[in-house]
Structure formats: C-alpha cells, structure tokens
Amino acid sequence: MKNKNNYDYLLADLTKLNGVGKKTMEILKKKKVNNIFDLLWRLPKSYTDRTLVSKICDLQIGVIQTIRIVPLKYQFPRVRNLPNRVNCIDETGTIDCIFFNSHEGYVRKILPLNEEITISGKISNYKGRYQITNPTYISQDSSLIENIDNKYSLTEGITEKTYNKIINQILKNLPILTEWHDKDILKTFNNESWNEFIIKLHDPKNIENFKSDFYKRLAYDEILASFLVNSEIRKKIKKIKKVSKNFSGNAHNNIISKLDFTLTSDQKISLNDINKDLNSKSKMFRLLQGDVGSGKTIVALISSLSVVTSGFQVALMAPTEILARQHYSLAKELFPKNIKFELLSSKSENSEKKRIVKGLENNEIQMVFGTHAIFQKKIIFANLGYIIIDEQHKFGVRQRKLLSDKGGDNCDVLLMSATPIPRTLTMSVYGDMDVSIIKEKPSNRKEVKTYSKLENKIDDVINFVKKEIKEGNQIFWVCPLIEESKKLDHQSSITKYKFLNEIFPNKVALLHGKIDNEEKEEILNKFLNKKYSILVSTTIIEVGIDFPNANVIIIENANKFGLSQLHQLRGRVGRGTKQASCILMFKSNLSVNAKKRINILKNSNDGFEISEEDMKLRGFGDLLGFKQSGIKNFRLADPIQNEDLFLMAEKQIKKIELENIDIKKYKALLKLYDQADIINDMV
Ligand code: ADP
Ligand code: MG
C-alpha cells in the first residue's frame, strides 16, 4: 500500500526495508547513507539486461546472459578444493554450472534435477564446454530473473542483487508527496511529480540524461531547498530584536583623520551598510566580501571603534595569531589612547591572560583581538555587542548560525571574506546573510604584473630577484604543490631553500607544513620585519596578512593550482605602492587550455570574474576552499550546467520573501532535503 502524503517513509531508518539488516545498514552508513531518502541519490551507472533469454547454442563467451536450463546430473567430487558441478541442458546444447565453496545440499536445492530453471550470469568456456561459475541468479520462477538490473557503484559487502532489490522496493513504495511547487514552476518541468521523476531517475534508460525534465526538476528541488533554508535563517536572524548601538560620527572621523589615504567608495558604502545595521533595532548578520587587498580591515576597525563608543564590547577574531596581532597593531596606531583593547594571545603570560579575561568580564576592556580562543567557554563578556570574524570562508551556514546565537541577541555579527565566489553560488553559500561587497581596489594600487616562465629559465628569474632585493623588496617563493605526497612537498621546499640560500646567503627563510605554529609565526614575523628577503614556502602563505614590502611572488608548477587560488596567492603582493610582480613557473610548454587559463589571470585582477572562469574550467567542486567551506554539495544540481535553475530559484526566493509566502507548503521539501534541526523550528 502506498503511503499517502507521507514523507516519513523516506526519512526512515534503512532497517525499515525488507532485506536490510544491521550489517547492511552499517555498511551504507559509512557511505553517508543514513536513511531511505539518501539511497535515492545513488544513481545507476549502467545496467545489465537479463530480459533476453538465449539458447545454449547461441551463447557468447564473456557476456552476462540469461538461459533456461534443465539440470541432468550432479558431480560432487570427494576432493577438497574441487568445485561442485552440475551438468545442464536445453534443447540446443549443454552447459555446466560450477560452484566453488558450496554445500551439496545447497546445490541440490537450487538446481533440482529435471526441472526447468532460469539462470543468469557470465558465460565462460572450459575445455570446450560452456560453463557458468557461481551464478547468483538462479530461480524456478523466471520472472524473478528476467529483469533489467541497474549497476550501482557498489559498496563492499552488498551485492548488486541485494542492492537492486532494495532500490526496487523503495521505488515501489515511494509515498505520493503533496506537490510543493507552484503551477507555473511545475509547467517548466512538464507538470510531472517528484514521485514520477524519481522513478525515471532510476530507469536505466535514463542514465546521465542530464538535460531531461526529470533531472532538471529534481535538481531544482535541491537548489530551492538549499536557498530556502538560508533565506529562512536570514529572516529569522533579522527578526531578533536588539538594543541599537548609538554612536556619533566622531570615532569614524577620528580614524579617518589618521589615515594617509581616503576610503574607496565601496569601503564607504560598506561602512554605511554596517552602520545602518548597528544603529537599527534588529540584529546584524552581514558578510563583508572583498577581494584580497581591497581594504576590509579598516572598515572593521572603524565600525569597531564606533561600537565601543556606544558602550558595547567588541571581539575581533582572526584565523591565525599573526593576523590577529596585525589587526591589533593597526588598532594601536589608529584608536584614541583612552580606548582599552587587548590582544589575547596563546603566547601571553598566564597572569596577562587572566587579567584580560577578568577585564572582559567586568567590562573594563572594550575590545579584544584574537583567534577562535576568544570564544572559549571560560571567556565571558560583560556586554558584547559586536563580533567580527576575519577570513571566515571555512565556516558553513550552521557554524555561522551557532556563532551568531552564541553572541546573544544584542550582538551584531560581521564576517569578512576574501574568497570571491561565482554569482550562481552566492545564495547557497551566503544566502543566510546580508552582503556588502568591496569591488573597487584602493586607487593607489598598481595591478600586479603577471608573467609566465618555463622552469629552465630560472636564471632569468634569479636575476630578477637579485634586482628586486637590491631595491629593498621582498619575495615570496611558493614551491610546487605535489598533490601525490606531502612528503615530497616538504622535500621540494627544503631543496629549493638550500638552492636559494646558496645564491642569497642568510636572506632566505623557509616555511613548510611540518613547522609548528609557534615557529611559523616567528618566521613570518621576522619576514614582516625584513630580517629576510625571500620566504620559501609550500602553498600556505597565511591568508590576510599584510606584507606591504613584499613585491614579488614566484609560484612554481603553477598549473597545479586553480585560478582562484593563484589569484589569492598573487594577492599577497602589491599591497604597497611599488609595481609588484607575479611569476608563474611551468615545467613544460603549456597546453592550449592551460594557456587560456593563464591568460584569464594575466588579463584580470578581479577575483569575482576569475572565480567564474575558474568554475567553468574546473568544475565547482574544485574551486578554492569549497571543499572545506561547508558549502553544501549538491547531489544532482551543477552550478555550471544548471545556471538557469539557480537563477530561477533565486527569483522564487525573492518572491517568497517579498510576498511573505508561508513556507509551510515546502515542509516536505525542506524536511527531506535538509534533514536538519533548523528546519524543525521553521515549518
Ligand atoms: P583585505 O581586504 O585583503 O583584508 P587589508 O584590509 O589588509 O585588505 O588592506 C590591504 C592594504 O591596503 C593595507 O595596507 C591597508 O592599509 C591598505 N588600504 C586599505 N584601504 C585603502 C584605501 N582606501 N586606499 C589605500 N590603501 C588602502
Ligand atoms: Mg584581510
């Protein structure tokens, strides 16, 4: 019987299914299949057609075929390791069924003499006789065999047969869900239901039929669900009432007067967005997105000072200590003397830490800088009103929500990220937040000049480096990324370090993954203070650190990196006023496609544009940071192939928000596709 209007079946535990016990369930759980719904998205890769019944005389060796045979004679050898054998016939010839590791009783039972049996399996030839070894498909009821079996990418411990049985069982019992889409949307997908489309999705004839309506609708469902959840989180946060921050423009002007540059108009617009939110009676949950070097820090500091003058505390969290320290030092230059702010560092003396913790608790300290350590349980803020998180692209929606909750209702939240993402993805990655974007670079910036060089031209590169060092500039030397092996990565950076150190004695520092955090910070600090001219490193030159004196970045084996990643690396230089350069090195001549990619990079300094192109060239899963970013991985939807669906979903969300449409009608969609607690308080 079908379950009417009931999605509970789909969310049920796998053991609900006939033929799935604890063991199978555990195996599938390891593959992140937790319930029946999850199983629906493991799609057939190909299929085996067992519907065609052959005669023995027509059999082909090496092919899976179905035949109807009559067992004539058993051969049960008394010698260990020899297989049991059953001679069988049809009216056109003979074939042997071979069973290794089998009991006599079992063979007698499944192949009773003189009965017609249907079997299916791969046919082989042994000493001129047809044979079929350990056939799994044997039955007196031919209808059980003469089917089309889908081939799924299987998991060890589950046979194709079992798997097909499970899937067929689910497809047969699919509940009829109440349609969640409006008529006009349904029309675009040929008015068919989710239910019908799921069945089509598993129809072997439809394998990889990405352009079909069923595929598109199911992808659209998925996109809309993800956008809806984000939009609901956003609405929910915006409904939180808070005490508004009251401040004059004094703090702002005070800082501006100390700067030797003027803010770009995007910086001003962003500050305006932020101030409006801070002044309002609703909680702020905003993302400040801006390419590397676009000047987000100053926006954060100006708004922080404003909040401090309104009587609330501020916490600024950076991903690393060195970055936290850098922000803190900038505040030291810019904040008025009477403001009490501290850096909470793991290196501080215990007594110092205690003093800061106490100061935050009794409201004597107005602002604190630090890493995630500032959100430890033992740290209690007397009156926290503003949290800023720098370089947060590794946080997913749920982590952000947690953080926002943790600050309390009165606490505004600003996240800053330098990871530009393609437009189609904005709603899935940041749809839970309001977004301000700094597109414009400070006007004093010269674009970083980007060159490509073959590795055998290293002498030219060395000469160039010599010249730069003479002019007092510093150089980043990024060693090849060796994906296959961390050990090789490590070795190659050491080799490069030795090589460069011979040419530039005492001027080279080395950073690699095996150096612990403390030492790493020390090296970076020394480099920042110009104790070295060249910093050799494996990929990770800390995000966000401002090295105004670093003017050249050399990236070896550049074709191993994604464009966005190269752009981020390139953004480490060119922060001062001098002309900066980025040299991309290659092992061999570039392919046409690789040239295309490098040209995009040479011709554009716009991270958003580059991320679009990068996504088109590499697919979205590979984009910088996505794997760690917490971005939901779509099961069917593809941001490149289905751009239209993403835009359509965006439009639908706007409509839902604008017309205040009750999202209860999407309850089943959300419950199924998101399966998270957040949904429970929404619908
Ligand atoms: P990011 O957005 O990558 O965090 P930063 O805030 O570190 O960038 O800024 C990079 C550099 O640009 C800093 O040295 C900063 O002082 C400088 N800067 C910021 N805004 C401007 C501006 N409007 N004009 C000139 N330089 C600026
Ligand atoms: Mg920054």
Side-chain angles (χ1 to χ4, degrees), residues 50 60-65 120-124 131-133 135:
R50 301 186 197 273
Q60 283 172 283
I61 308 295
V63 180
I64 293 173
Q65 283 152 101
S120 182
K122 198 188 263 180
I123 309 296
S124 57
Q131 68 175 33
I132 186 163
T133 307

Side-chain angles (χ1 to χ4, degrees), residues 261-264 267 291-298 442 444-445 544 546 575:
F261 53 77
T262 49
L263 295 181
T264 63
Q267 280 172 317
D291 215 343
V292 271
S294 60
K296 295 182 290 292
T297 319
I298 197 71
N444 58 358
R445 283 297 144 69
D546 197 19
R575 298 202 160 200

Side-chain angles (χ1 to χ4, degrees), residues 144-156:
L144 292 181
I145 307 245
E146 290 162 24
N147 287 316
I148 293 179
D149 275 330
N150 282 343
K151 281 197 171 161
Y152 294 89
S153 53
L154 287 177
T155 310
E156 207 177 323

Side-chain angles (χ1 to χ4, degrees), residues 546-563:
D546 197 19
F547 294 95
N549 203 47
N551 226 21
V552 180
I553 183 161
I554 294 158
I555 304 169
E556 290 194 50
N557 228 355
N559 50 320
K560 290 265 177 171
F561 297 93
L563 290 188

Side-chain angles (χ1 to χ4, degrees), residues 259-265 267 288-299 323 326-327 330 390-391 416-418 438 440-445 543-548 571-572 574-577:
L259 296 176
D260 50 10
F261 53 77
T262 49
L263 295 181
T264 63
S265 63
Q267 280 172 317
L288 179 59
Q289 203 183 7
D291 215 343
V292 271
S294 60
K296 295 182 290 292
T297 319
I298 197 71
V299 173
L323 197 54
Q326 203 162 49
H327 293 339
L330 190 59
D390 194 14
E391 301 298 351
M416 304 200 286
S417 168
I438 308 184
E440 183 188 10
K441 295 262 170 73
S443 59
N444 58 358
R445 283 297 144 69
V543 275
I545 306 178
D546 197 19
F547 294 95
R572 301 293 109 221
R575 298 202 160 200
T577 45

